[in-house]
Every structure is written in C-alpha cells, then in structure tokens.
Amino acid sequence: MRVPLSWLREYVDVPADATTDDVFAALVSVGFEEEEAISFEISGPVVVGQVLSFEAEPQTNGKTIRWCQVDVGEAEPRGIVCGAGNFFEGDKVVVSLPGAVLPGPFPISARKTYGHVSDGMIASARELGLGDEHNGILRLAELGLDPAVGTDAIALLGLDDVAVDVNVTPDRGYALSIRGIAREYAHATGAAFRDPAAHEWDDVQPGSGFPIAVDDRAPIRGRVGASEFVARVVRGVDPSRPTPPWMIARLTLAGIRSLGILIDITNYVMLELGNPVHGYDLDTLSGGITVRRATEGEKMVTLDGKERTLSVEDLLITDDSGPIGLAGVMGGGTTEMTDATRNVLVEAANFDTVTIARAARRHKLPSEASRRFERGVDPLIPFVAAKRVADLMVELAGGTLDAEFGGALYGEVFLPQIELPARFVSELIGVDYTDAEITGALETIGCEVTATDDGEGWTVIPPSWRPDLTDRWTLAEEVARIHGLDRIPSVLPTPPSGRGLTALQKGRRRVANALAAAGFVETPSFPFTTAEANALHGSASGEGVPSIRLANPLDGQAPFLRRSLVPGLLQVAHRNLSRGFTDLALFETGVVFAPEPAVVYGTVDVPPLAVRPDDETLAALNASIPPQPRHVAVLLTGNATPKHPGGPAVAAGLADALAAVQTIASAAGVRLAVAQGQRAALHPGRTGILSVSGVEVGYIGEVLPAVSADADLPGRVYVAELDLDGVLSLARPADVAASLSGFPAATQDVSLVVGADVVAADVAAALTEGAGELLESLRLVDEYRGQGLAEGTKSLTFALRFRAPDRTLTAAEATAAKLAGVAVASDRYAATIRE
C-alpha cells in the first residue's frame, strides 16, 4: 500500500519534519513490512512560465520546432526551443531551468540545438512524472490553474510530496486505505486520529426510487454475494473538467494513473476509505440493478474490451439489458463513464470475499477493487464511500447531487462477542500485561470491552473493520502488537523428551547420506510426466496403468503425476550430458503417485477455510488422495572410474548399480535378494528383481537401447529403483555381532547342473537352507554353459565356507553339510553335481 504523506497528514497528526524513515519506523512497530519510499525524483529550479511569443521554424528533417520567448519571472525572458505544438502565446506552462533534474534522472542545462541556445525546457506531464501523456507540453490552464509567473511549480503541482510503501498482509485488508494506515500510525505514535468515515448515519443515507435487488440463488458456502448495496445519483457532471493537480499527484504516488476527473474521484475514494466504488453512466442503464449469479457460459464484455465467458460462481451486476459488471472485479463496457457522460450512478457495495477472490483468479483479473473485497471491507463504510464520491463529483466535476433519487440494500452487520479470560493474554504471549494495558490496547484498535460479571475477564466486540479478529488468540496478538513485539522475551523453549525424527525419517536420511557418501549426486526433479512414461517405467509389463492427471498442469505436455522416479533421472542425465558432463552417478528420493485401479480420487468437497475439519472429514480427505510411497532411484552412465596415469577408464556397469543397491540395503538395515526378472524398459537379459524377506521392493537393470535413445543418452545406462518406505518397513532389528570363532574354516566348492531357466539365487538359497548352521558364507563364483553340458542346462559353481564355534571341523563334517545342501537343491530344482 502506497501512502502519500500529505494525504496521511489529513487524518493523523504526522509531524511536519517527519521523514519517510520516521513513518516507516512507526508502521513497522505495529506489524507492517517496509517496502520503499517513493517520490517524483524531481528537483528545482522548476517554475511557472508564460509564453510571450514563438516562431515556428521548419527543419530539414521534416520536424517543425518553436523558438519561444518565455517569461519565468526574471528581468529578461528566456529563449527556449520546444518541439511541441499544442500551446499558444499567453499560455502558462511549467519550465525546467538549467540545474533542474527531472525524473529519469534527466538533468537540464542550457544547450545549443537547432541553431539556438535553449535556456531550459518546457515540460510535458510525462516528463514531470505525472502520467503517461506525452502529446504535448502541460498547459496549466487545462488544470484550472492560473498561478503567478515564477511560482515554484514543484509545490504547485504537489511534486514535493513523498509516499511510503508498506506490505499489507492478507488478514489486514483494512490497511489497504489511507484511513487504515492513519489509524495504525496513531496506534504506533499516539498521534491524534481523525476518522474520515465519522459521519452521522442520517447524513449518508441515499435517496429512494432506484430499484436494487439481490437474487443470489447459489450462494457460496451459504453467504449471499452482496450484503449491502448503495446507489447515489449525481446529475450534470462535466467530465472534461481537469483533475486537480493535488489529486493527480496523490494518485500517481499511490500507483494509479489519472484517467479523467470522474474515474479519478472513484479511485481516490477507494484509496482513502478502502471501499471500491464504481460509477455508471446513468443514461446508459436500462431499468434498475439486480445482483445475481451468472448462468454457465453467459458472456459479457469488461472495461478492458475483452469478452468473458462466465461461471455459475461469478457474481454479476445487471440491468434489464443483461450483465453490466463483474461484481467487485471490473465493470462492463456498455455502461462505463465517458467524455459524453452527464449523469452518474455511484455504486458502493459489500461483496462476499470468497466470491470475489474466485472470480478474480478464474478470469485472471486481479484489480485494486478485487484486492480489497477479497480481504474484506468495513461493512459500515459503503454508505460513507458513496456519499464521499458524490460530494467530490459535485465539488470538482460541477455536478448536482440528486438527494431524493437513489437506493440502498441494507444488510445486518454481525460482530462476534469474544470471551477473553483475564490471564489468557499474559500466559500466551509471555509478558505480564496489566489489566489496563490489555483493555487499553483493545480499545485503541476500536474494540468494545466490557468486564464480565465475575470479574475474571472481559467480553470483547471487535470493530467492524477488523473481520480478522475472531477469537481470544487474535485479540492476544493485537495486545502484543500494540504494546510492542520487542517486549516479548527471547526464551528458547525446552523440547519434551522423546521427540525428534521418526524411525522412518532417520532411515530416509541414512539412505540419502550413504548414497551421497558413495559418490552419487542427488538431483530432485518435478513430479510431472507423461502417460507413456508412466506406463513404460511405472509397470513391469509396460502396459497402461492408472495415473493422476492434473487439472491445471505447469506443462501441458506432462500433465500426469509420476509413478516412477526413473523418467526424471533420465531427463536430468540428458540435461547434464548436453552440458558436457558424461560420467554420471545420480540418485533421487521422492514420492510417487500410485492410484489403484477402479478408484476415483479427489471427489470429496474441500472444507471451508477458518474451520478445523473433524476426524471424519479428515479421514475422507485422506481417502480421496492416492497412495504416495517414497521411492529411491539411482542412475549410472559413462565411466565409473576415469582414465588416469595408472590405467584406462572403467565404464560403469551393472555391478556398480548393484553396489549402489547394496549401499541402500546396508543403510536401511535389510538384506536384499536379487533374482532375474523382466521390466518393459530394461534389457531382458540384464534385469533383476529386488526383494526383502520374499517381498518384492524394486528392480535393477540396464535400460533398453531404444529407451536410452529416446532420452538422447548415447551410452549404456543402468538404473535401480526401490520402494524406500517399503524397504524401511521391512528393516530387521539391529544386528548383534556374534563372537568370533577361534577355530579354522573349512572351504569347499560345489558345481551344480540345473536347468537354464533356474535362478542362481534360488539355488543358493536352497544350498544355504540345507547346509545348516555350519555354513558361514556362500558365494557364486562361476556360471558355465556350453560343451560338456546338455542343451538347456547350465553349471553353477559356489564357494562354501564352513566353521564351527566350538571345534575344528573335519573334512567329513564339511562334506556332509555340503551334501545336505545339495540334497535340498536337488529336491527343488533337480540339481546334480557336475562330474
């Protein structure tokens, strides 16, 4: 909110010598955030001059300049070259003399141009910072001014004013006005505040006879779209009258462009009181005004000339001809005030906050009006705002107020009664406030405070302009704000025992830290992808799988939520390869979205704001979203070891990906088993299924060359993906290290012939089970297919190590344990010892 200081001083006593820093300090002390100080960035000498004469001089470039003699209140007139042609002899203008600096900055000096020495410059409105108009120089007569020659034009036009810009939080909509900021400055400094809305109720009543109705058949959350509506009529206005310079200067500093006296007045009052006001050309209206919801697909043309397709939630201002305004957002083009307007209908209203906020976002039409309505305006101010606009149109536009003709829709204003226990504020804030400090602060901000019958607290009624004050907690915050947040002690709270990261959170961190320590780089990516990528990487078969489609995706080409982390890693790898990084070891942990077939998600109505949902509603909301397990995935491509003086480069391979998987398993506290499998996106002979205690938790393998090519990855690519939450849920209790045996190990090898389709891991599991407790370790050391073996078979050679904790094993004992394992493998997989 930009606040010109001259405007602020009208309603609160700001010292004449107060700087913008002083005002900022006061406003920051009551909870506002400082943005910047704004000025016209102009310095003198800039004076009023009168054109005594001029000579038009055509130039060779086709342009005609005027060599002017201008009286600036000195002994001799000044010769000034001017390229504009919209002024006449005798006109009073603004002259920037040598030494002046105009906004830009644009320093002025005497300089030779077009064969003359121009001793200054006759300025336009845009050159002075008063707007975008640059069709010619600024003629003071057009502003209704006839000052003496030599008068300081900076003060005359209000260009010496400055503004402070403060950030207003969404819950403090009342501060989007000069009235609100002046009140807060008074709270901060104790200065006297003069409320511009302080009028007797009878003084602001409109006339009657103009029909106004509200027909809201589909209110949002049960709240009618318009609770108050005031209409006043001003007749005989002259829209060609100039806007006073002080008003132009204030509007400009506030960030609003001057658009003519009638529109300027409505904008001025909106900034002053915080209630948006709209003006209609009364002669273009057909009948009375009805406020209603739009019908689906209904259309209207707004003031910006665009045709809008409306929703049933949009609130419209209509007459007998149809829509004439999108309520609280923007007026319609058919009834706007123009240069031909002679009679004006002034509208001030109070619209539902949710309705206006949704309409502004739906039509991408943020406006100064919607910004205020969606935060909530004072329900008692529309009558005052309409009267203020009408009075200014009478004063500045030459109109006549039709006090007998008008209309109003009156609404009940409900102000809650809040019970505030006496010790509540001090206990919550941590400051020992006295009763007088608490009641004084609340009365300062406009609350009515009444002591309870038992004397143990107060009943508080918030002011009408503070809809954010809804409970005792918000009242306590106001007490702390008014008496200074610096009084709150800085005490570090002591956390109760037993708190901290959950076991699941600790496990996730261990896995991420272990991968980073192993040389992998974490690369988080957006969770958006395509249906094709979800089908290819989100299922083993590559067939279509249920996916969540976003209603408003950031990228229309990737409108689905991912079911796998691998597509994101492939994109990251491609981006890095395109920048010259060829050796990559990447990982990501993140949620994937796995909707179940035949389940429709997102069908539960969103509960209203500012109301805590009950347990049943929360359960329904949780059931309306798909499962979102957290996965971890790794990707390797290029070289695992770069070329170095001691040897050649070593390309990354499946063994490196498997090592990463074992790193994850070790950090998670599980033992992973790897079995040959198939995935649509992976090489059929180089794919493994990962499991923990017989539960499948992920996969590993080499990406198909065709898939790598589609991702623009030229070399071999290896990936692995695990359900991290699932893995951590299967984590075993911490291992207790067994006592080391002092007896020697007995080692033996065994080669088993099995069918070519038998998985080596299954054979190893059978050997381990049959060999019993004496088997200390088992490792696959060779796989052979070819000469000497029957077609369709293979030979698997395992190295076995046996050890007993209490004796030295004999060869016979080791052999017996080995053969016991072979017997189990033979029974399950028809394994035979290779001769």
Side-chain angles (χ1 to χ4, degrees):
M1 175 68 190
R2 295 181 173 187
V3 184
L5 294 194
S6 66
W7 204 350
L8 185 65
R9 287 188 172 98
E10 288 190 8
Y11 302 119
V12 68
D13 292 338
V14 180
D17 59 349
T19 65
T20 55
D21 288 341
D22 297 331
V23 177
F24 273 134
L27 295 178
V28 167
S29 71
V30 286
F32 292 101
E33 294 181 10
E34 174 183 342
E35 293 290 340
E36 61 177 335
I38 301 165
S39 67
F40 286 99
E41 298 178 348
I42 185 172
S43 60
V46 180
V47 301
V48 174
Q50 185 171 29
V51 179
L52 301 178
S53 64
F54 60 81
E55 297 179 10
E57 299 181 356
Q59 304 297 311
T60 57
N61 60 4
K63 183 178 180 180
T64 298
I65 62 98
R66 289 181 174 184
W67 172 237
C68 308
Q69 299 300 311
V70 183
D71 181 8
V72 294
E74 299 173 343
E76 298 292 333
R78 293 195 179 229
I80 298 176
V81 173
C82 184
N86 67 318
F87 59 92
F88 307 94
E89 291 183 358
D91 275 348
K92 290 184 178 179
V93 295
V94 177
V95 181
S96 303
L97 299 178
V101 178
L102 301 185
F106 180 34
I108 304 299
S109 62
R111 62 190 182 93
K112 187 173 184 179
T113 179
Y114 295 108
H116 301 282
V117 175
S118 184
D119 201 14
M121 185 181 78
I122 304 176
S124 68
R126 187 171 74 176
E127 289 164 341
L128 294 171
L130 286 174
D132 297 329
E133 185 64 38
H134 196 57
N135 294 329
I137 59 96
L138 178 65
R139 300 172 60 223
L140 295 179
E142 293 179 345
L143 298 180
L145 299 177
D146 186 23
V149 172
T151 300
D152 181 3
I154 294 179
L156 176 71
L157 299 177
L159 302 180
D160 54 350
D161 200 1
V162 294
V164 293
D165 187 7
V166 293
N167 182 31
V168 177
T169 54
D171 61 328
R172 301 173 71 181
Y174 70 94
L176 291 175
S177 65
I178 302 298
R179 178 195 184 205
I181 296 296
R183 188 188 304 275
E184 290 298 322
Y185 183 87
H187 296 342
T189 63
F193 169 67
R194 297 172 291 279
D195 190 352
H199 291 269
E200 294 295 331
W201 182 242
D202 291 341
D203 294 341
V204 296
Q205 293 303 299
S208 59
F210 186 83
I212 299 173
V214 174
D215 183 19
D216 188 356
R217 301 180 183 179
I220 296 178
R221 298 179 183 171
R223 294 200 292 259
V224 177
S227 57
E228 287 184 327
F229 198 101
V230 186
R232 282 186 172 275
V233 174
V234 181
R235 302 187 185 274
V237 298
D238 181 3
S240 66
R241 284 201 179 186
T243 301
W246 57 266
M247 182 177 285
I248 295 177
R250 288 179 176 180
L251 290 174
T252 301
L253 284 176
I256 293 182
R257 184 165 53 98
S258 175
L259 296 172
I261 183 62
L262 299 181
I263 297 176
D264 288 350
I265 287 173
T266 59
N267 286 334
Y268 186 85
V269 173
M270 175 187 69
L271 294 174
E272 183 175 72
L273 299 178
N275 197 130
V277 184
H278 189 70
Y280 301 91
D281 187 328
L282 181 63
D283 298 327
T284 64
L285 290 174
S286 300
I289 283 181
T290 299
V291 183
R292 63 171 174 84
R293 299 284 172 177
T295 58
E296 190 66 36
E298 190 173 4
K299 299 181 184 298
M300 74 165 290
V301 178
T302 47
L303 283 174
D304 56 3
K306 295 183 179 179
E307 184 179 69
R308 309 279 175 181
T309 301
L310 305 174
S311 162
V312 291
E313 287 192 348
D314 290 331
L315 191 68
L316 299 180
I317 310 298
T318 67
D319 64 2
D320 293 347
S321 66
I324 59 174
L326 188 56
V329 180
M330 184 174 286
T334 58
T335 57
E336 67 175 316
M337 296 182 294
T338 66
D339 292 341
T341 298
R342 293 296 176 266
N343 302 304
V344 176
L345 178 77
V346 178
E347 165 220 302
N350 189 11
F351 297 118
D352 173 49
T353 56
V354 175
T355 296
I356 304 308
R358 289 185 179 181
R361 285 157 180 76
R362 183 182 304 112
H363 296 286
K364 298 180 174 60
L365 261 180
S367 63
E368 290 292 335
S370 66
R371 185 182 176 206
R372 286 163 173 79
F373 278 127
E374 66 189 20
R375 287 164 170 78
V377 300
D378 185 349
L380 301 181
I381 207 70
F383 291 85
V384 177
K387 180 67 163 54
R388 174 67 164 152
V389 169
D391 290 344
L392 287 175
M393 285 188 176
V394 170
E395 177 185 350
L396 303 178
T400 301
L401 177 63
D402 189 340
E404 303 300 322
F405 188 64
L409 171 71
Y410 299 89
E412 293 184 359
V413 178
F414 172 75
L415 300 176
Q417 291 188 354
I418 304 172
E419 298 300 323
L420 182 64
R423 294 297 304 166
F424 177 79
V425 174
S426 296
E427 291 173 356
L428 180 68
I429 303 301
V431 177
D432 191 16
Y433 296 111
T434 65
D435 290 353
E437 286 180 317
I438 294 173
T439 57
L442 295 176
E443 290 172 347
T444 294
I445 65 174
C447 295
E448 295 182 17
V449 183
T450 306
T452 57
D453 293 338
D454 58 7
E456 296 298 321
W458 305 274
T459 299
V460 181
I461 301 177
S464 60
W465 59 86
R466 293 298 302 272
D468 58 309
L469 301 181
T470 57
D471 50 41
R472 63 183 65 175
W473 289 270
T474 52
L475 293 179
E477 181 182 346
E478 288 300 296
V479 173
R481 186 174 68 87
I482 293 301
H483 286 298
L485 300 178
D486 55 340
R487 286 184 60 180
I488 301 176
S490 298
V491 179
L492 188 65
T494 302
S497 60
R499 301 295 177 90
L501 298 177
T502 65
L504 197 60
Q505 290 171 329
K506 292 177 181 177
R508 292 170 181 170
R509 292 196 178 187
R510 284 198 309 271
V511 168
N513 291 338
L515 286 172
F520 286 79
V521 177
E522 186 173 12
T523 57
S525 57
F526 286 120
F528 313 122
T529 188
T530 63
E532 294 77 15
N534 267 346
L536 183 61
H537 299 281
S539 68
S541 63
E543 298 176 354
V545 290
S547 298
I548 297 296
R549 185 185 182 97
L550 297 172
N552 187 22
L554 289 177
D555 183 355
Q557 295 181 343
F560 291 91
L561 292 174
R562 66 189 178 191
R563 290 185 64 105
S564 168
L565 302 180
V566 171
L569 287 176
L570 292 174
Q571 291 180 358
V572 172
H574 165 66
R575 190 176 303 114
N576 280 272
L577 282 170
S578 67
R579 286 160 173 75
F581 299 100
T582 57
D583 302 331
L584 299 174
L586 311 176
F587 84 96
E588 179 179 2
T589 62
V591 295
V592 299
F593 304 84
E596 298 174 356
V599 178
V600 179
Y601 295 98
T603 58
V604 178
D605 292 334
V606 177
L609 299 177
V611 177
R612 179 179 175 83
D614 56 26
D615 293 341
E616 183 178 348
T617 302
L618 289 174
L621 287 171
N622 287 328
S624 71
I625 58 177
Q628 299 175 40
R630 186 173 294 271
H631 281 200
V632 58
V634 298
L635 179 147
L636 296 105
T637 187
N639 293 325
T641 303
K643 182 180 179 181
H644 56 90
V650 178
L654 200 56
D656 297 294
L658 186 57
V661 168
Q662 294 298 343
T663 298
I664 295 172
S666 177
V670 298
R671 290 176 179 167
L672 277 171
V674 185
Q676 193 171 31
Q678 289 189 341
R679 297 279 301 187
L682 303 183
H683 197 292
R686 300 167 189 161
T687 301
I689 301 302
L690 308 174
S691 61
V692 176
S693 301
V695 179
E696 184 177 329
V697 294
Y699 61 88
I700 182 174
E702 179 182 339
V703 177
L704 278 172
V707 177
S708 298
D710 287 343
D712 293 325
L713 299 176
R716 292 189 173 187
V717 180
Y718 302 92
V719 297
E721 182 170 14
L722 294 88
D723 179 354
L724 182 56
D725 286 346
V727 168
L728 292 172
S729 68
L730 296 170
R732 63 185 186 275
D735 286 335
V736 178
S739 300
L740 296 177
S741 174
F743 297 94
T747 59
Q748 293 195 15
D749 293 341
V750 64
S751 295
L752 299 179
V753 179
V754 295
D757 59 345
V758 175
V759 178
D762 293 338
V763 178
L767 284 171
T768 302
E769 181 180 339
E773 294 182 355
L774 293 180
L775 180 63
E776 185 176 78
S777 68
L778 176 148
R779 182 165 53 92
L780 178 67
V781 295
D782 185 48
E783 177 181 331
Y784 174 74
R785 308 182 192 209
Q787 187 176 359
L789 294 179
E791 186 176 351
T793 63
K794 62 182 178 182
S795 173
L796 302 175
T797 301
F798 296 92
L800 299 90
R801 185 168 62 193
F802 300 93
R803 194 192 308 266
D806 55 352
R807 67 188 187 280
T808 300
L809 289 177
T810 64
E813 289 176 310
T815 300
K818 176 184 72 172
L819 293 177
V822 171
V824 176
S826 176
D827 181 57
R828 293 181 181 176
Y829 306 109
T832 60
I833 296 178
R834 182 181 174 190
E835 300 296 338

